[in-house]
Amino acid sequence: MTSRKRSGSGSSKRPKEKVVYIYELFFRGEDPSQERRPEHSEFWNEFFLLQPNVEVLEGEITKLTGEQFAVVKPNLNMIFQKCIEMLDTDHPKRLCNSLQTLCSLFYGIFKKSTADTSYDILNDIFGYEHMDKWMKQLMVHCNRILLGDVPENVRFMCLKLLLVLVTGTDNVSQNVLLEYLMMNTLFDAFVKLLSDPTLRAQHGHDIVILLTILVNYRKHEATNPYIVQLSILADELALNGYGQMISQSLIDFCRQYMQSLNNAQSSSWFSSLSNIVGNMFVSDEGCERVQQIKANNGLLLALYEAVHLNRNFITTLAHTQTESSAPPSPSNTLSLTQPVPDLANAPIIDMTQYPTNLLVAVFQYCSIVMQDNKNESSVANLKLCFLILTCISEDQYANSMMHDSNLTFKVMLHRAQMRHRKLNVERVGKSQPLAATLLDLLVEFIVSHLMKKFPMELYLLCIGVIHRILCYQKRCRVRLNYPWKELWSALIGLLRFLVNQEQTLVKKCNIFHLSLQVVNIFNLFITYGDTFLATTNSYDELYYELNREEKVFTELHAMVLRYTTMPDCEYKDDVIKLLNALVNILAIVKHFQNKIKEWLAEQGLSTPTEEQILDVVRKNYDLTLKLQDSLDHYDRYAEAPHHTTFFKNMVRDVVADTRKQIYGYVKEAVSTIPEPDAMLTSTSSNS
């Protein structure tokens, strides 16, 4: 049967939802709950059986004018109060609908107050006299829901409500509602959820993001209970669960990157060329890879907070990612929602592609992020990675774990394609202690970022991590079996670049401070190498490298001398320190250059071999060097004041991105909430 169109419009209007009709009455200043008919005595019980219309409710709030707000304020207060009172019910659908309505209310109010800064969210809309009581009740109900025997979609919506609250303002420290989460902390509930494998699988991501944002509320201004509680948390299951959420995200990112590489390799040459040309005209910020990197900011920030605040968390870094603290299992790379397969028939996992623990995942993730440095998002993400590595490299337990020769891992470090080198495929995926892998990662950064737009801050952080690792080896007399020549060559290459680009770089940054850090690493090897170098040949190779690259140190010395004579040099202190730091290296170079020339004259040779030079070095260690102080000293990492602005911006990005995602989840929840009977059946079967 064919349908007839109405004349005029050409299409029929959809009937208005009952809940939308009620919203319109409330926002006209009317109160449909006060109609004097017997059937309206159960108005609110019936209202919360209706599915909320998130977009309409949010739209009604945001389009209100100043005068309309004054009229509608009593109704807004009433809806808010009834939502909170309904959280005391055991009826799952009413519970979920009241939580979803609260999400819409808060989202709309925050959006309105952001658009019009003249609104005081507490006073103009709710009023201080009511807000204290209501928010305290809300936190009590949220705590009960998170810890109680409720359907998972109710717990899901409760966490979404909390995320709406903590992401209400771009600057998290200006969100006055967070004071109520400080006074009525939900930390214990979060810990319990992270400790439970099933609940963690469903809600772990939300909890970790919540904790991360809450930890950053007025971080350096007042006592924050979430900082205090996170710093002393010792629950192994909760810490493992926290780490597992982060490692899952990083491992997924690494897996996607590997798949993209495989897809690129299998595509035709012409297709690859088309992609390269096409990418030239695509905005850096809009690239899919950039968005994927930015999406990890929240969990990467969570990792930073954990390693920065909690020493107990360090012990979980090398734990294989399983559901408990049981011995490592090959099932660590599985999704929590997947069943554990029969390991007897399982295929061999290529461990060079799939990280086995959080630290391995971080190293592999860093190697990917390092390759993208053309936009601010990736640079900020990489800086956060280096700050995490800085905190790890300062920790005694982390260092002992990374240097344990019995604890070796195969790690696939991705390396940038560069015209002037061939990738050393043989060393990719080599089984070695994690300290060696970390040094490989740092060496790769040094050699692959010598560019016109020089990332000075990242280089300082990178060199700082290397310095901390060497200080640990010297202090604990740990002899790591590592090809140190690669590190020395990378550092000398960095010095060469700084000397060659001096005229350009000195106008932008303090190249003398970075040069000093690099030279002091060489001084650390020269002065204390006997305590941590694995073989005596390593000393010979060090002196050989210093002499082979003597031109770099001579030119560096000449540059420094030139700046000592400049009265208006703003980096004078670092120039003087660098001049003094070069004394031993120049003495070594001069001493062995003379010995080599004498030997060549005796032998009648002009071009000696590497082995002949090494032989001259071994026989001529008769030189006196100056003892330099504080080579194994460094200032321990402190977040404030150096990185305060950086973290404010990072948290701001995480808040903004989370807010967008949460609104989508809240809107989509209408199609995912089953009927009460179905939910109760599902809950009982799960239990």
Side-chain angles (χ1 to χ4, degrees), residues 155-173:
R155 206 177 337 256
F156 171 90
M157 192 56 65
C158 180
L159 288 167
K160 293 297 180 278
L161 170 61
L162 292 172
L163 283 168
V164 169
L165 287 175
V166 301
T167 60
T169 58
D170 286 344
N171 185 339
V172 68
S173 295

Side-chain angles (χ1 to χ4, degrees), residues 446 449-457 459-460 463 489-519 522 551-553 555-560 562-563 578:
I446 294 172
H449 287 75
L450 302 174
M451 59 187 72
K452 190 173 182 180
K453 192 177 179 181
F454 188 70
M456 169 63 80
E457 186 177 25
Y459 267 99
L460 286 170
I463 299 301
S489 297
L491 293 174
I492 292 172
L494 172 57
L495 289 176
R496 182 187 298 110
F497 177 83
L498 294 176
V499 171
N500 292 340
Q501 301 297 321
E502 167 228 338
Q503 293 296 327
T504 303
L505 294 177
V506 78
K507 300 172 185 176
K508 304 175 182 177
C509 53
N510 186 354
I511 61 173
F512 304 102
H513 180 57
L514 178 58
S515 300
L516 175 64
Q517 303 301 100
V518 174
V519 168
F522 280 107
K551 184 180 178 183
V552 174
F553 295 101
E555 291 178 347
L556 178 63
H557 181 243
M559 181 187 80
V560 174
R562 186 158 34 89
Y563 278 91
L578 179 55

Side-chain angles (χ1 to χ4, degrees), residues 352 411-418 420-432 440 443-444 447 482-483 485-487:
T352 63
V411 185
M412 171 69 80
L413 293 183
H414 300 279
R415 300 168 192 255
Q417 294 287 347
M418 299 172 68
H420 65 276
R421 71 168 182 180
K422 292 182 179 180
L423 290 184
N424 187 358
V425 181
E426 294 179 1
R427 291 203 57 218
V428 174
K430 178 182 176 183
S431 184
Q432 59 184 4
D440 284 343
V443 167
E444 173 62 19
V447 301
Y482 186 76
K485 185 176 178 180
E486 294 186 12
L487 173 62

Side-chain angles (χ1 to χ4, degrees), residues 28-292:
R28 285 206 299 261
E30 301 177 28
D31 183 1
S33 68
Q34 294 300 311
E35 294 185 26
R36 297 185 178 183
R37 286 186 290 177
E39 62 268 24
H40 279 266
S41 59
E42 290 291 310
F43 175 85
W44 291 107
N45 281 336
E46 294 176 8
F47 176 77
F48 285 110
L49 283 177
L50 299 174
Q51 183 63 56
N53 191 313
V54 174
E55 290 183 273
V56 170
L57 182 54
E58 178 234 319
E60 289 287 350
I61 294 172
T62 53
K63 70 183 182 185
L64 287 173
T65 63
E67 293 112 8
Q68 290 171 330
F69 247 120
V71 175
V72 173
K73 180 179 176 180
N75 284 350
L76 270 176
N77 275 270
M78 180 169 55
I79 297 171
F80 186 78
Q81 181 182 359
K82 294 300 181 181
C83 284
I84 293 176
E85 290 175 357
M86 190 56 65
L87 295 181
D88 203 27
T89 184
D90 291 328
H91 193 287
K93 190 162 185 64
R94 291 192 180 107
L95 255 180
C96 230
N97 288 346
S98 58
L99 287 167
Q100 196 174 8
T101 303
L102 281 170
C103 286
S104 304
L105 281 172
F106 277 118
Y107 187 87
I109 290 166
F110 276 124
K111 188 175 179 180
K112 183 70 176 176
S113 61
T114 302
D116 189 344
T117 54
S118 63
Y119 287 107
D120 181 336
I121 186 172
L122 288 180
N123 194 33
D124 292 347
I125 300 173
F126 295 116
Y128 291 111
E129 67 278 8
H130 303 300
M131 205 59 180
D132 285 342
K133 175 185 174 182
W134 290 345
M135 286 300 296
K136 185 175 181 179
Q137 289 178 359
L138 178 59
M139 292 303 107
V140 170
H141 288 310
C142 285
N143 192 67
R144 179 186 64 82
I145 291 170
L146 294 178
L147 295 175
D149 184 15
V150 298
E152 287 313 309
N153 64 316
V154 174
R155 206 177 337 256
F156 171 90
M157 192 56 65
C158 180
L159 288 167
K160 293 297 180 278
L161 170 61
L162 292 172
L163 283 168
V164 169
L165 287 175
V166 301
T167 60
T169 58
D170 286 344
N171 185 339
V172 68
S173 295
Q174 292 178 353
N175 187 345
V176 291
L177 293 185
L178 291 196
E179 280 296 329
Y180 297 103
L181 276 89
M182 298 295 135
M183 293 185 290
N184 307 277
T185 175
L186 299 173
F187 187 85
D188 290 341
F190 295 156
V191 168
K192 183 174 180 181
L193 293 176
L194 285 174
S195 303
D196 185 288
T198 304
L199 295 176
R200 178 171 69 243
Q202 295 166 320
H203 310 296
H205 183 277
D206 287 351
I207 294 164
V208 171
I209 295 296
L210 273 168
L211 279 171
T212 303
I213 296 174
L214 288 167
V215 161
N216 281 279
Y217 174 71
R218 301 185 67 188
K219 197 174 192 180
H220 304 293
E221 303 168 26
T223 302
N224 182 323
Y226 292 91
I227 293 178
V228 175
Q229 291 171 299
L230 181 60
S231 65
I232 62 175
L233 179 63
D235 186 319
E236 185 182 359
L237 289 177
L239 291 172
N240 279 336
Y242 187 102
Q244 190 177 61
M245 290 298 99
I246 300 165
S247 62
Q248 272 188 353
S249 177
L250 300 186
I251 289 170
D252 285 344
F253 178 86
C254 294
R255 186 179 290 117
Q256 290 171 11
Y257 180 79
M258 286 298 300
Q259 290 173 350
S260 68
L261 286 183
N262 294 334
N263 293 338
Q265 290 170 359
S266 62
S267 64
S268 66
W269 175 86
F270 181 78
S271 176
S272 299
L273 181 61
S274 300
N275 289 336
I276 293 171
V277 174
N279 287 337
M280 294 178 184
F281 301 97
V282 177
S283 166
D284 286 331
E285 289 292 341
C287 290
E288 182 180 357
R289 179 63 43 72
V290 175
Q291 296 306 316
Q292 290 173 341

Side-chain angles (χ1 to χ4, degrees), residues 321-381:
Q321 295 302 307
T322 55
E323 281 301 343
S324 67
S325 56
S329 161
S331 66
N332 61 78
T333 56
L334 296 175
S335 167
L336 289 172
T337 57
Q338 295 174 337
V340 178
D342 179 6
L343 297 182
N345 299 317
I348 297 175
I349 298 173
D350 183 356
M351 304 311 281
T352 63
Q353 292 192 24
Y354 300 104
T356 55
N357 61 50
L358 181 51
L359 204 49
V360 170
V362 169
F363 291 168
Q364 187 169 335
Y365 176 83
C366 289
S367 72
I368 297 172
V369 177
M370 278 180 186
Q371 298 180 50
D372 189 353
N373 48 59
K374 296 178 182 177
N375 61 83
E376 292 183 6
S377 297
S378 296
V379 171
N381 191 278

